């Protein structure tokens, strides 16, 4: 039996904000290098341990329907940033709640919600422009290590491993991560192709490694299983993974796969023939040829596919394109829970390094947001909506630095006030020296694209909350057991 709960106006917005606050109470613990590890018990066989804000919010549920909607909105913010930027999930969650709460406080006696949202949008665009102008390109391995060290949670070994992998290849997109028993990286040669994977991953840096899979290549449009089943009989019987490559794979293709076949073993890839460096026939020859004592590996990411080739493939002339050096990073740890948590940090670290190589870096530790708040405070605008948006964003931008310093056991509010009153820009609270220092001297840098993505997503969600007039929550009896009160999330 389903029950619908409808809430209006002030009551709906307050319920959403309470839910966001409850969810953020757990998620913000993971923020920054001194962030805590959060252990989550969802009545699973084992407790989930993570330092990723998106993972904390992933299955977060509250009993009150309106508060539950607020928690899900915060989860949506984290997931969007993770999808498009790869890191900065907790930062975006903190900003989203800060902007939403300040919008409610500033707008509690106003009726023109559209103008308020327009002001927030303009102010966020001003902050994005300020951060872009402050950004500078990566100047060397020290800068790259500073970005990796911050993104990895001060894991020196992990940061060094990721930096070594990225500096070993020329193309930042030619770096893939895989789970393993030990941590290491190797550079292998093969073909790196642009492709569309029909098995999309939540995180842009996640990848799937296939060890000597069966490969079926169909040059045209693949509509039904019968078109390609005859090429896969031996592979399916052996129990190996299967990579199916076609110029176009119809959305209904999976529905035609026989039920007795394990669909988790099937990986679908669409490749545009005009963008291939060789013909489809050449690709078929590569996989048709088997070399003794060589098991070919294929790595599938969201936008790239890497095919490892042997020396015989290159010398025989099968591969018309030049080989691409590609780094495969193996992330290992003792225990399944520890391995998963370290892999999450490695994925975030790789995303930050890749973004920094592409768009540059800015002072880290939320220092750039404090500088942006100080810069917004001196801007003179004639539009009242823009002025209100600037005031809302200026107050919200200082909250990440305050939370970051509080997590280190210091008085965040006091040090943030010192940062705002100081004439020097780029100041960060050095966790080792326990004092304010230049971000460059402290070696704390963040990727520009990560910060901009967090601001862009959080400000848009905050505007959505400001315009919320009605919340409709549909209750399902079967979902009642899935909702967990806040006290079941421990940190």
């Amino acid at each position: 039996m389903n029950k619908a709960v409808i809430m209006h106006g002030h009551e709906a917005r307050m319920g959403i904000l309470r839910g966001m606050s409850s969810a953020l109470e757990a998620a913000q613990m993971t923020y920054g290098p001194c962030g805590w590890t959060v252990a989550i018990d969802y009545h699973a066989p084992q407790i989930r341990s993570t330092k990723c804000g998106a993972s904390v919010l992933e299955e977060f549920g509250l009993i009150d329907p309106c508060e539950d909607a607020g928690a899900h909105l915060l989860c949506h913010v984290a997931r969007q940033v993770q999808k498009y930027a790869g890191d900065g999930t907790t930062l975006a969650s903190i900003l989203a709640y800060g902007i939403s709460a300040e919008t409610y406080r500033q707008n509690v006696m106003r009726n023109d919600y559209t103008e308020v949202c327009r002001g927030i949008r303009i102010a966020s665009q001003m902050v994005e422009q300020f951060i872009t102008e402050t950004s500078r390109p990566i100047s060397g391995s020290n800068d790259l290590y500073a970005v990796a060290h911050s993104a990895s949670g001060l894991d020196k070994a992990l940061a060094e491993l990721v930096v070594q992998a990225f500096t070993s290849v020329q193309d930042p997109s030619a770096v893939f991560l895989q789970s393993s028993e030990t941590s290491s990286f190797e550079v292998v040669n093969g073909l790196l192709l642009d492709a569309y994977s029909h098995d999309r991953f939540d995180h842009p840096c996640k990848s799937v490694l296939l060890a000597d899979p069966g490969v079926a290549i169909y040059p045209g449009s693949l509509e039904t299983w019968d078109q390609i089943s005859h090429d896969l009989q031996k592979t399916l019987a052996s129990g190996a993974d299967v990579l199916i490559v076609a110029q176009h794979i119809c959305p209904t293709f999976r529905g035609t796969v026989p039920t007795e076949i394990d669909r988790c073993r099937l990986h679908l890839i669409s490749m545009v023939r005009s963008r291939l460096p060789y013909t489809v026939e050449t690709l078929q020859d590569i996989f048709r040829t088997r070399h003794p004592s060589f098991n070919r590996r294929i790595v599938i990411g969201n936008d790239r596919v890497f095919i490892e080739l042997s020396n015989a493939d290159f010398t025989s002339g099968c591969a018309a394109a030049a080989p691409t050096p590609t780094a495969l990073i193996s992330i290992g740890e003792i225990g399944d829970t520890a391995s998963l948590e370290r892999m999450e940090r490695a994925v975030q670290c790789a995303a930050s390094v890749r973004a920094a190589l592409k768009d540059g870096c800015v002072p880290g530790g939320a220092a750039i947001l404090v500088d942006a708040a100080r810069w917004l405070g001196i801007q003179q605008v004639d539009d009242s909506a823009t002025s209100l948006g600037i005031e809302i964003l200026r107050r919200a931008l200082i909250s990440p630095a305050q939370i970051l310093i509080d997590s280190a056991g210091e008085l965040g509010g006091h040090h943030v006030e010192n940062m705002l009153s100081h004439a020097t820009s780029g100041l960060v609270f050095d966790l080792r020296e326990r004092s304010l220092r230049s971000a460059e001297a402290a070696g704390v840098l963040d990727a520009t694209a990560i910060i901009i993505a967090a601001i862009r997503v959080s400000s848009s969600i905050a505007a959505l909350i400001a315009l919320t007039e009605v919340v409709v929550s549909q209750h399902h009896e079967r979902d009642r057991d899935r909702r967990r009160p806040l006290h079941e999330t421990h940190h």
Side-chain angles (χ1 to χ4, degrees):
M1 181 178 179
N2 300 339
K3 297 179 181 180
V5 178
I6 303 176
M7 304 182 74
H8 299 265
H10 167 76
E11 185 182 9
R13 284 186 287 274
M14 278 300 298
I16 289 176
L17 287 175
R18 286 196 303 268
M20 294 178 70
S21 177
S22 298
L24 186 63
E25 182 182 351
Q28 73 181 14
M29 294 296 175
T30 66
Y31 182 51
C34 285
W36 297 83
T37 298
V38 178
I40 313 168
D41 180 10
Y42 287 125
H43 294 232
Q46 58 184 353
I47 292 179
R48 173 83 178 274
S49 179
T50 181
K51 286 193 68 175
C52 174
S55 299
V56 175
L57 298 171
E58 186 176 12
E59 297 290 342
F60 204 96
L62 296 172
I63 297 176
D64 183 88
C66 204
E67 293 181 4
D68 191 56
H72 279 81
L73 274 174
L74 207 63
C75 178
H76 177 70
V77 170
R79 281 299 179 193
Q80 289 298 305
V81 174
Q82 186 181 58
K83 179 179 179 181
Y84 294 108
D87 196 7
T89 56
T90 309
L91 172 62
S93 302
I94 294 172
L95 287 175
Y97 174 73
I99 297 172
S100 301
E102 190 60 33
T103 300
Y104 176 80
R105 283 193 289 266
Q106 295 284 347
N107 197 44
V108 67
M109 300 300 294
R110 296 172 182 264
N111 295 320
D112 197 350
Y113 300 120
T114 306
E115 284 297 295
V116 175
C117 294
R118 183 176 66 85
I120 294 174
R121 184 174 65 253
I122 295 174
S124 65
Q125 291 172 352
M126 294 171 62
V127 173
E128 289 180 25
Q129 182 179 358
F130 171 79
I131 293 176
T132 302
E133 293 174 353
T134 308
S135 174
R136 65 171 180 81
I138 294 291
S139 59
S141 58
N142 290 336
D143 287 350
L144 208 60
Y145 176 77
V147 173
H149 196 226
S150 298
S152 64
L154 300 184
D155 190 330
K156 182 178 179 181
L158 181 59
E160 291 177 348
L161 185 67
V162 172
V163 170
Q164 288 176 4
F166 274 92
T167 54
S168 300
V169 297
Q170 296 180 349
D171 186 356
S173 63
V175 177
F176 296 91
L177 289 91
Q178 59 179 336
S179 299
S180 177
E181 295 181 358
T182 58
S183 296
S184 62
F185 88 96
E186 60 176 324
V187 178
V188 295
N189 290 322
L191 299 174
L192 188 64
L193 309 174
D194 294 326
Y196 173 78
S197 172
H198 293 260
D199 301 315
R200 306 300 288 176
F201 310 112
D202 292 334
H203 203 291
C205 293
K206 283 188 177 179
S207 55
V208 171
L209 174 66
L210 307 180
D212 201 26
V215 180
I217 301 173
Y218 193 81
S221 179
L222 196 57
E223 299 177 358
T224 64
W225 176 259
D226 295 335
Q227 293 175 258
I228 205 168
S229 59
H230 58 278
D231 296 330
L232 301 174
Q233 294 178 358
K234 293 183 179 179
T235 303
L236 291 172
S238 65
D241 288 317
V242 175
L243 177 65
I244 300 176
V245 182
Q247 184 177 355
H248 174 69
I249 299 179
C250 296
T252 57
F253 173 78
R254 284 191 182 273
T256 64
V257 178
T259 56
E260 64 271 13
I261 295 176
D262 185 5
R263 300 191 182 191
C264 295
R265 294 164 49 196
L266 302 180
H267 304 274
L268 310 182
I269 296 295
S270 294
M271 292 186 181
V272 182
R273 297 186 65 176
S274 60
R275 298 178 64 180
L276 292 177
Y278 44 83
T279 64
V280 175
E281 291 74 20
T282 303
L283 184 62
Q284 291 174 331
D285 290 339
I286 292 175
F287 289 105
R288 189 178 298 115
T289 306
R290 308 297 297 176
H291 302 288
S293 68
F294 177 75
N295 293 328
R296 181 175 287 112
R297 291 177 294 180
I298 297 177
V299 187
I300 306 174
N302 276 335
D303 302 310
R304 288 293 182 105
V305 174
F306 172 73
I307 304 172
E308 184 184 14
L309 300 179
S310 67
N311 294 330
D313 289 324
F314 296 112
T315 57
S316 62
C318 289
T324 302
T326 300
L328 300 180
I329 306 178
S330 300
I331 303 297
E333 188 60 81
I334 300 175
D336 295 337
T337 301
S339 296
L340 181 60
E341 190 273 331
R342 197 159 194 255
M343 174 59 80
E344 285 182 340
R345 286 191 285 119
V347 168
Q348 295 172 354
C349 181
S352 293
V353 171
R354 186 177 285 111
L357 287 171
K358 181 180 179 182
D359 298 315
C361 60
V362 291
I368 187 63
L369 298 181
V370 176
D371 292 342
R374 184 194 304 113
W375 177 79
L376 281 178
I378 61 175
Q379 300 305 303
Q380 300 294 328
V381 294
D382 297 330
D383 183 36
S384 59
T386 303
S387 178
L388 180 60
I390 287 176
E391 181 64 20
I392 290 173
L393 214 63
R394 188 180 67 84
R395 292 177 179 272
L397 288 175
I398 65 175
S399 55
Q402 184 171 341
I403 292 174
L404 190 66
I405 299 175
D406 284 340
S407 66
E410 299 287 337
L411 297 177
H414 171 72
H415 290 292
V416 168
E417 287 296 328
N418 291 339
M419 294 167 68
L420 287 170
S421 61
H422 208 285
T424 306
S425 61
L427 288 180
V428 64
F429 183 79
D430 193 335
L431 302 176
R432 292 162 295 188
E433 299 293 335
R434 297 287 170 173
S435 62
L436 296 179
R437 294 181 62 195
S438 167
E440 300 284 345
V444 180
L445 300 176
D446 286 334
T448 305
I450 302 294
I451 303 296
I452 290 179
I455 293 174
R456 186 172 300 171
V457 173
S458 60
S459 60
S460 65
I461 297 298
L464 171 68
I465 295 171
L467 286 171
T468 298
E469 187 64 25
V470 178
V471 174
V472 180
S473 179
Q474 194 78 12
H475 278 262
H476 301 276
E477 292 294 332
R478 64 179 180 272
D479 293 338
R480 179 177 296 177
D481 293 337
R482 296 179 56 206
R483 297 182 182 273
R484 302 294 175 224
L486 178 63
H487 66 266
E488 293 193 22
T489 302
H490 308 284
H491 58 78

